[in-house]
Amino acid sequence: MAREYKLRMHNVAYKNLFGRKFRSILLLFAIMIAVALFFGLSSLTAGMEELMMEATNDSGIKNAIDVVDSSSGMFYGTIDRSAIKTIESIPGVKYVIPRVFALVQLEDVDLVTPLSQIERTITPEMDMLMQQMIRMIGTINIGETDFSDLSNLISLVGIDPDLEYIMGGYPSKITRGSIFTTSGGAILGEMLAKNSGLDVGDKITVICDNKQRTFYISGIYSSGNPIQDNSVVVSIKDAQYLKGFGNNEVSLLRVISEENIDNSIIGMHIKTKLPGKVNIIDHSLTASVINEQFNQFKVYEYIVIAIVILASIGFILAITMRSITERTKEIGTLRAIGWQKTDVLRLIFIESLIITIIGSILGVILGILLPYIFQTIIPFFFSDLIIPPMSELVKITPLMVVESILIGCTAGVIGGMIPSIRAVRMSPVDAFKY
Amino acid sequence: MIETRNLTKIYRRGNAEVVGLKDINLKIEDGEFLSVIGPSGSGKSTLLHLLGGLDKPTYGEVLIDGENIEDLEEKELCQLRRDKIGFVFQDFNLINTLNAIENVVISRIPTGVPHEMIERGINLLSYFRMEDRLDHLPTQISGGQQQKVAIARALINMPQIVLADEPTGELDSKSGGEIIRLMREMNEIEGVTFVIVTHDLNVSDQTDRIIQIQDGEIIKDINNTPHG
Ligand SMILES: Nc1ncnc2c1ncn2[C@@H]1O[C@H](COP(=O)(O)OP(=O)(O)OP(=O)(O)O)[C@@H](O)[C@H]1O
Ligand SMILES: [Mg+2]
């Protein structure tokens, strides 16, 4: 007779869930979708936030001003080095660093993802932010630039490594190899290295208009900024050669001011000392605009998340309410034959928990896959639509997984238990008659 | 022994008052096999619910072995319902997701089901000739069989008294008769008291004592000699 029967609370909970498959599957889906949406949104926002932060925190950019030629811009114009002395005489200015910028091509290199494609995948909402970033690093004059013309161009920056080192500037982080010490060396942005297949020790030939020069790659750098990371950095002399500049000609002067000095005042001084010649790009302003826009974006995100959670609680409630008559009678019966209120609540809690934990875990998995799913599926239906590379933008943290599961459990347990709590509080007799 | 003193239940709906039960004084000795009859709405179910501690009286008291059950705390009342009382309902009230034997021992699940309990459950179901239905769900067995499961559930903890509210109400006369016969056998074998509410005079005729209720009051309380 000794047949083994597994008869503990959680066995009853499992049996209840399996016995009502349709209801259980609906609940599972409700929780899964809510968690996936929450997770997908959070990871996308976190990824974008990290991108913005890295861009704005780059190289002490908050107290930096860039000075460029007023008529041809930072990219095609020139500034005379003599301006350095003039600007350095302004009180509050700490350093003035010259840089040379060029749009170049790499000989015999196929770029997997040329610069232009990164730009083209950006949605209108992100466009504004990207433009700010582009302005910040001062490579392209956005107003008139059609990105499609730039499909095989990358940006080259000529720097004086010693000067940049003083101000903790370009490049912010060498991930492999080292910075060049003499002319003829180059360091590559991480993304460019990845897309071109080039690495430390390789040689590249850089073409700019009718000039070209071959460099050896001494290192790979990373800044977190996708456009900077798609550039090549060489010595200022080499850059001047490629552009056909004289010794005293540079593209841009980066002015670093003392802490606590208002950038706009320094900017005004520069304008009055070099009247009509220069334009000022104030990075503290750009950084604050980006932050402001991003904070606005986050407010929308929170609203969406709140709606997702409330909707899922509502949906779960609706599913649970469908079977409330049967459930109430069942609870009345259990109470009549000796179950305590806490026993009934325990059973329903275990049931909700099983469903929500499974639903949340599936939701997190779906949330991780969501960017890939969107990227793959949307082009099938809307072939013209430009989808941002979401899977590369997202950032997943363990905290996010914990948060998602907690939110799924909260929604599931609240939605799953509220209708039953009423039944538990009723007298058994009222529960029978329900 | 169960005893009631001036047991009264008044239902209030807004200003309207409905008398469910009025001044019931009743003594039920251990081992009795009795029925409660009366027209619909006369208060039979109300009496059963009050006897079993499922509802609270408006006035009066229910004493089980001399103890007023209203003095019990919620937890003790639950234990009383589990250990001393068994309930059988008209529409069986089995848990549809659990099989027969699980339904029989369900009252013990929160505190853990001792192995003897499962054995007793199997023995009861076997006695009811359901040994081959132990792992069937309620939806997979007949109404009569469901009621047998419900009776086994009521008896599992060796209660002092089983309160059955129209246990044959949903059954045809053949399976209804079988149910009453099984109850009588359990009454004789285990000495458990049965209080059976019924409309059916054939059922009440099987019991030793018939209490007739009308408008919430006992109008007749007679001893009866069952006819075979
Ligand atoms: N929850 C309630 N609220 C209001 N009135 C109630 C309630 N429960 C029962 N009543 C009333 O109390 C009286 C007794 O009801 P009870 O259910 O005990 O009758 P009964 O004898 O079991 O009837 P039946 O044979 O139809 O089951 C009836 O008039 C009924 O309408
Ligand atoms: Mg009734």
Side-chain angles (χ1 to χ4, degrees):
Chain A
M1 265 291 121
R3 252 171 106 170
E4 252 331 298
Y5 278 99
K6 284 189 197 141
L7 290 172
R8 319 215 43 181
M9 267 320 209
H10 62 268
N11 300 116
V12 177
Y14 281 126
K15 280 165 192 276
N16 277 344
L17 293 174
F18 274 107
R20 301 185 177 92
K21 282 198 193 67
F22 183 66
R23 175 180 176 274
S24 303
I25 288 171
L26 273 184
L27 283 174
L28 205 70
F29 262 91
I31 293 160
M32 186 174 91
I33 299 221
V35 170
L37 283 177
F38 173 80
F39 190 88
L41 261 168
S42 309
S43 59
L44 200 61
T45 317
M48 282 169 61
E49 186 166 24
E50 193 184 56
L51 210 67
M52 301 296 148
M53 285 304 165
E54 278 174 2
T56 49
N57 285 341
D58 167 53
S59 324
I61 205 135
K62 279 178 191 120
N63 50 343
I65 297 171
D66 283 347
V67 179
V68 297
D69 180 78
S70 62
S71 51
S72 309
M74 62 196 92
F75 202 70
Y76 297 102
T78 56
I79 295 213
D80 197 274
R81 268 184 192 266
S82 63
I84 295 178
K85 279 245 141 48
T86 318
I87 296 169
E88 272 177 346
S89 69
I90 297 167
V93 170
K94 218 165 155 189
Y95 310 113
V96 181
I97 321 267
R99 287 178 184 172
V100 174
F101 286 91
L103 281 179
V104 300
Q105 283 173 287
L106 301 182
E107 194 179 66
D108 294 333
V109 170
D110 272 336
L111 293 182
V112 182
T113 312
L115 173 66
S116 62
Q117 239 163 43
I118 296 175
E119 257 77 56
R120 259 187 275 153
T121 50
I122 301 302
T123 59
E125 288 77 20
M126 278 184 71
D127 192 45
M128 187 67 188
L129 292 176
M130 285 311 265
Q131 290 196 13
Q132 302 276 8
M133 282 169 51
I134 294 163
R135 280 187 54 186
M136 221 161 51
I137 55 155
T139 33
I140 301 157
N141 189 350
I142 316 118
E144 302 111 46
T145 310
D146 175 1
F147 292 124
S148 58
D149 291 347
L150 306 173
S151 53
N152 40 25
L153 295 177
I154 59 154
S155 62
L156 173 139
V157 189
I159 60 163
D160 180 332
D162 294 336
L163 282 180
E164 300 279 352
Y165 179 75
I166 291 171
M167 59 158 254
Y170 233 52
S172 40
K173 196 166 88 196
I174 301 275
T175 51
R176 291 199 295 280
S178 57
I179 183 114
F180 49 84
T181 46
T182 56
S183 117
I187 53 172
L188 254 55
E190 206 166 44
M191 201 180 281
L192 179 60
K194 194 176 137 210
N195 292 338
S196 63
L198 292 164
D199 209 339
V200 178
D202 291 338
K203 284 198 182 320
I204 42 163
T205 300
V206 173
I207 305 162
C208 180
D209 295 330
N210 49 6
K211 296 207 167 56
Q212 66 176 71
R213 181 160 280 190
T214 301
F215 295 90
Y216 74 91
I217 300 168
S218 69
I220 308 293
Y221 68 90
S222 144
S223 67
N225 176 326
I227 293 167
Q228 282 185 19
D229 283 351
N230 212 46
S231 308
V232 52
V233 178
V234 299
S235 77
I236 202 159
K237 281 215 146 40
D238 289 332
Q240 281 170 330
Y241 167 80
L242 284 166
K243 287 207 82 167
F245 278 7
N247 246 352
N248 282 331
E249 286 176 308
V250 295
S251 307
L252 171 146
L253 297 176
R254 171 152 292 191
V255 180
I256 307 294
S257 46
E258 306 276 0
E259 306 263 327
N260 309 325
I261 298 279
D262 190 342
N263 271 359
S264 59
I265 293 173
I266 303 234
M268 264 154 48
H269 277 294
I270 296 172
K271 279 227 155 199
T272 44
K273 294 227 169 183
L274 302 164
K277 284 187 193 158
V278 295
N279 266 349
I280 303 293
I281 298 167
D282 182 346
H283 288 296
S284 63
L285 225 59
T286 325
S288 71
V289 167
I290 288 184
N291 274 337
E292 219 167 86
Q293 288 189 349
F294 198 72
N295 285 340
Q296 194 128 29
F297 176 79
K298 277 178 92 169
V299 171
Y300 291 128
E301 192 215 350
Y302 292 139
I303 293 173
V304 171
I305 286 176
I307 292 171
V308 164
I309 294 170
L310 286 179
S312 70
I313 290 180
F315 193 60
I316 294 163
L317 272 174
I319 299 166
T320 318
M321 291 303 274
R322 272 168 46 104
S323 53
I324 196 62
T325 311
E326 187 192 349
R327 207 71 233 252
T328 304
K329 207 175 156 191
E330 199 177 284
I331 290 169
T333 308
L334 291 173
R335 299 266 296 118
I337 62 173
W339 280 41
Q340 295 178 27
K341 287 178 185 177
T342 48
D343 296 331
V344 179
L345 287 176
R346 215 167 94 213
L347 174 68
I348 296 164
F349 180 72
I350 296 172
E351 276 178 31
S352 303
L353 211 58
I354 293 171
I355 282 277
T356 45
I357 286 175
I358 299 174
S360 301
I361 291 171
L362 291 179
V364 168
I365 295 171
L366 184 66
I368 293 173
L369 297 179
L370 217 52
Y372 299 92
I373 295 172
F374 271 125
Q375 268 167 221
T376 329
I377 288 180
I378 292 178
F380 271 111
F381 299 101
F382 308 97
S383 47
D384 313 336
L385 213 64
I386 290 155
I387 314 297
M390 285 189 274
S391 53
E392 283 168 41
L393 277 176
V394 297
K395 184 186 179 221
I396 293 166
T397 63
L399 181 69
M400 217 175 276
V401 176
V402 174
E403 269 176 5
S404 305
I405 291 178
L406 279 183
I407 280 181
C409 290
T410 313
V413 170
I414 289 176
M417 290 194 71
I418 281 180
S420 304
I421 284 173
R422 259 197 49 180
V424 172
R425 295 177 65 160
M426 275 181 205
S427 93
V429 177
D430 290 334
F432 298 148
K433 289 179 183 161
Y434 192 79
Chain B
M1 188 184 71
I2 289 197
E3 199 179 345
T4 69
R5 290 194 189 140
N6 302 328
L7 193 62
T8 302
K9 179 76 183 179
I10 296 167
Y11 294 104
R12 287 198 177 78
R13 272 223 190 102
N15 284 333
E17 287 193 351
V18 177
V19 176
L21 219 51
K22 204 157 85 190
D23 278 330
I24 302 286
N25 290 292
L26 194 63
K27 258 188 191 172
I28 303 171
E29 301 290 342
D30 288 349
E32 280 200 60
F33 195 72
L34 68 87
S35 57
V36 179
I37 60 170
S40 185
S42 56
K44 306 184 294 293
S45 295
T46 304
L47 174 63
L48 225 53
H49 294 152
L50 292 175
L51 288 179
L54 292 182
D55 212 352
K56 289 196 159 43
T58 314
Y59 309 111
E61 49 204 34
V62 175
L63 305 167
I64 295 185
D65 294 334
E67 191 178 25
N68 186 350
I69 63 171
E70 255 197 297
D71 294 341
L72 298 176
E73 292 189 2
E74 164 70 18
K75 195 179 163 188
E76 294 168 318
L77 193 62
C78 286
Q79 271 163 9
L80 175 101
R81 288 201 294 251
R82 188 189 70 188
D83 299 336
K84 286 201 172 179
I85 298 170
F87 282 98
V88 176
F89 306 94
Q90 180 171 351
D91 42 6
F92 326 130
N93 289 14
L94 298 178
I95 308 298
N96 282 326
T97 50
L98 300 182
N99 67 27
I101 184 68
E102 288 161 354
N103 264 289
V104 170
V105 299
I106 182 90
S107 63
R108 284 289 180 163
I109 285 177
T111 50
V113 188
H115 205 75
E116 314 86 75
M117 270 307 158
I118 294 176
E119 260 168 32
R120 173 164 165 80
I122 293 170
N123 287 340
L124 283 167
L125 287 177
S126 303
Y127 187 81
F128 299 162
R129 291 213 227 94
M130 286 194 58
E131 61 277 4
D132 54 348
R133 295 284 186 277
L134 296 181
D135 45 17
H136 283 52
L137 295 177
T139 47
Q140 296 165 333
I141 54 180
S142 72
Q145 289 172 324
Q146 287 186 57
Q147 199 60 301
K148 288 181 187 174
V149 173
I151 293 168
R153 177 179 70 185
L155 291 168
I156 188 72
N157 295 305
M158 304 218 158
Q160 193 176 328
I161 182 166
V162 170
L163 304 167
D165 197 348
E166 307 206 27
T168 61
E170 303 257 307
L171 304 175
D172 59 51
S173 59
K174 185 168 166 280
S175 26
E178 195 187 354
I179 290 296
I180 298 300
R181 207 157 46 246
L182 286 175
M183 286 182 167
R184 167 62 94 182
E185 284 172 26
M186 295 319 292
N187 166 255
E188 283 167 0
I189 296 167
E190 301 201 334
V192 53
T193 311
F194 275 84
V195 178
I196 302 165
V197 164
T198 186
H199 270 120
D200 188 344
L201 295 182
N202 290 323
V203 169
S204 58
D205 200 34
Q206 304 298 311
T207 61
D208 302 331
R209 179 178 167 192
I210 301 170
I211 296 170
Q212 193 176 346
I213 301 192
Q214 200 169 324
D215 298 329
E217 291 179 278
I218 295 177
I219 55 165
K220 223 190 243 175
D221 186 345
I222 54 164
N223 288 324
N224 177 52
T225 312
H227 301 275

